[in-house]
Amino acid sequence: MGRPSFKESKTAIVIIAWNSDHFIGACVESALSLRCRTLDVWVVDNGSSDSTPDILSALAKDDKRLHVISAGRNLGTTVSRNLVLKQLSVDTDYICILDSDTVVNQSAFECLAAVLSDSSVGVVGPTMINSSGETQLSGRALPTLPIKLAKAFPFGEFAQKAADLEIPSTSVVRGLQDVGYLLSACWFIPRETLEVVGFLDEKIFYAPEDVDWCLRCHESGLRVVRCYEAYIVHEYQRLSHKKLFSKTNFEHIKGLLYYFAKHRYLIKAPELKGPFNA
């Protein structure tokens, strides 16, 4: 039996929030507006000190499909998402991992579900734009030490070199592109992929949990695909870029060191298999 259309599916959306009061209302409302057979929207609040808890409480009173988990402190991206993933019903068709600074729409989700009619695809992500219409590189090549070093100097030729190295070399065929990894601001996943690949690695607090999970997807023989025809809004807060010396940056560096050690490479990223790979 094939995978259902989005309209016929049972879908769970998993959102994490941390001091997200500028975004969380629009994000949750857009998720709740989606039309499918059964919809559950889960939000894990990582100890927000702004008005995020109040916004979520008000929304949950009006819609029983919204489930709010108050973590009480910042658990990071992996532990908080896994809190929900580990309790989802086994008959869930699709899981959407979503950041709180996104706004989604019906058309995009129908398109993403259609891509998953191909059982070789383990996860698909949309094209993401900000509210000004600027397109983001939502699907990227796997990182290497040279890429990360170039990104550490975000100016002049270093910044341009890092940006160029992150562009996947794979072909775009019929609006789809196999990529190294997808930004976890929006992943659309069939339930069986989670059963094969497993949960997010909780040894990573903040990043690069998206790279690690997507590489494990590749290693399981499943494709990681960007869909150019599905569009959502993503304001892209880039928390690690706000302060040079911060807990977020420290955790990002620690996560990168762990990732490179775990997958045993620095300079040359693993070669990926896929029908669109150049």
Side-chain angles (χ1 to χ4, degrees), residues 44 69 71 75 78-88 202:
V44 180
I69 298 175
L75 300 177
T78 58
V79 173
S80 53
R81 284 171 174 152
N82 283 347
L83 276 175
V84 178
L85 295 176
K86 291 176 180 178
Q87 61 180 298
L88 291 180
E202 295 184 4

Coordinates of all heavy atoms in Angstrom, one line a residue, residues 44 69 71 75 78-88 202:
V44 N 6.7 22.2 21.9 CA 7.5 22.1 23.1 C 8.0 23.5 23.4 O 8.8 24.0 22.6 CB 8.6 21.0 23.0 CG1 9.4 21.0 24.3 CG2 8.0 19.7 22.6
I69 N 3.6 21.2 25.5 CA 4.5 20.6 26.5 C 5.4 21.7 27.0 O 6.2 22.3 26.3 CB 5.3 19.4 25.9 CG1 4.4 18.3 25.4 CG2 6.3 18.9 27.0 CD1 5.2 17.2 24.7
A71 N 8.5 22.5 28.9 CA 9.8 21.8 29.3 C 10.3 22.4 30.6 O 11.1 21.8 31.3 CB 10.8 21.8 28.2
L75 N 15.9 22.7 26.5 CA 16.4 21.4 26.3 C 17.2 21.3 25.0 O 17.7 20.2 24.7 CB 15.3 20.4 26.3 CG 14.4 20.3 27.6 CD1 13.3 19.3 27.4 CD2 15.3 19.9 28.8
T78 N 17.2 18.7 20.0 CA 17.1 17.3 19.8 C 16.2 16.6 20.9 O 15.3 15.9 20.6 CB 18.5 16.6 19.8 OG1 19.2 16.9 21.0 CG2 19.3 17.0 18.6
V79 N 16.5 16.9 22.2 CA 15.8 16.3 23.3 C 14.3 16.8 23.2 O 13.4 16.0 23.4 CB 16.4 16.7 24.6 CG1 15.5 16.3 25.8 CG2 17.8 16.1 24.8
S80 N 14.1 18.1 22.9 CA 12.7 18.6 22.9 C 11.9 18.0 21.8 O 10.7 17.6 21.9 CB 12.7 20.1 22.8 OG 13.5 20.6 21.7
R81 N 12.5 17.8 20.6 CA 11.7 17.2 19.5 C 11.5 15.7 19.8 O 10.4 15.2 19.5 CB 12.5 17.4 18.2 CG 12.4 18.8 17.6 CD 13.3 19.0 16.4 NE 13.1 20.3 15.8 CZ 14.0 21.0 15.2 NH1 15.3 20.5 15.0 NH2 13.8 22.2 14.6
N82 N 12.5 15.1 20.3 CA 12.3 13.6 20.6 C 11.3 13.4 21.6 O 10.6 12.3 21.6 CB 13.7 13.0 21.1 CG 14.7 12.8 20.0 OD1 14.3 12.8 18.8 ND2 15.9 12.5 20.3
L83 N 11.0 14.4 22.5 CA 10.0 14.2 23.5 C 8.6 13.9 22.8 O 7.8 13.1 23.3 CB 9.8 15.5 24.3 CG 10.7 15.7 25.5 CD1 10.5 17.1 26.1 CD2 10.5 14.6 26.6
V84 N 8.4 14.6 21.7 CA 7.2 14.3 21.0 C 7.3 13.1 20.1 O 6.4 12.3 20.0 CB 6.8 15.6 20.1 CG1 5.5 15.3 19.3 CG2 6.6 16.8 21.0
L85 N 8.4 13.0 19.3 CA 8.5 11.9 18.4 C 8.4 10.6 19.0 O 7.8 9.6 18.4 CB 9.9 12.0 17.7 CG 10.1 13.2 16.8 CD1 11.6 13.3 16.3 CD2 9.2 13.3 15.7
K86 N 8.8 10.4 20.3 CA 8.8 9.1 21.0 C 7.4 8.8 21.4 O 7.2 7.6 21.8 CB 9.7 9.2 22.2 CG 11.2 9.2 21.8 CD 12.1 9.3 23.0 CE 13.6 9.3 22.6 NZ 14.5 9.5 23.7
Q87 N 6.4 9.7 21.4 CA 5.1 9.4 21.8 C 4.0 9.4 20.7 O 2.9 9.3 21.0 CB 4.7 10.3 23.0 CG 4.6 11.7 22.7 CD 4.2 12.6 23.9 OE1 3.1 12.4 24.4 NE2 5.1 13.4 24.4
L88 N 4.5 9.6 19.5 CA 3.5 9.7 18.4 C 2.9 8.3 18.1 O 3.5 7.3 18.3 CB 4.2 10.2 17.1 CG 4.6 11.7 17.1 CD1 5.3 12.1 15.8 CD2 3.4 12.6 17.4
E202 N 20.7 12.9 20.7 CA 20.6 13.8 21.9 C 22.0 14.2 22.4 O 22.0 15.0 23.4 CB 19.7 13.2 22.9 CG 18.3 13.0 22.5 CD 17.4 12.5 23.6 OE1 17.8 12.3 24.7 OE2 16.2 12.3 23.2

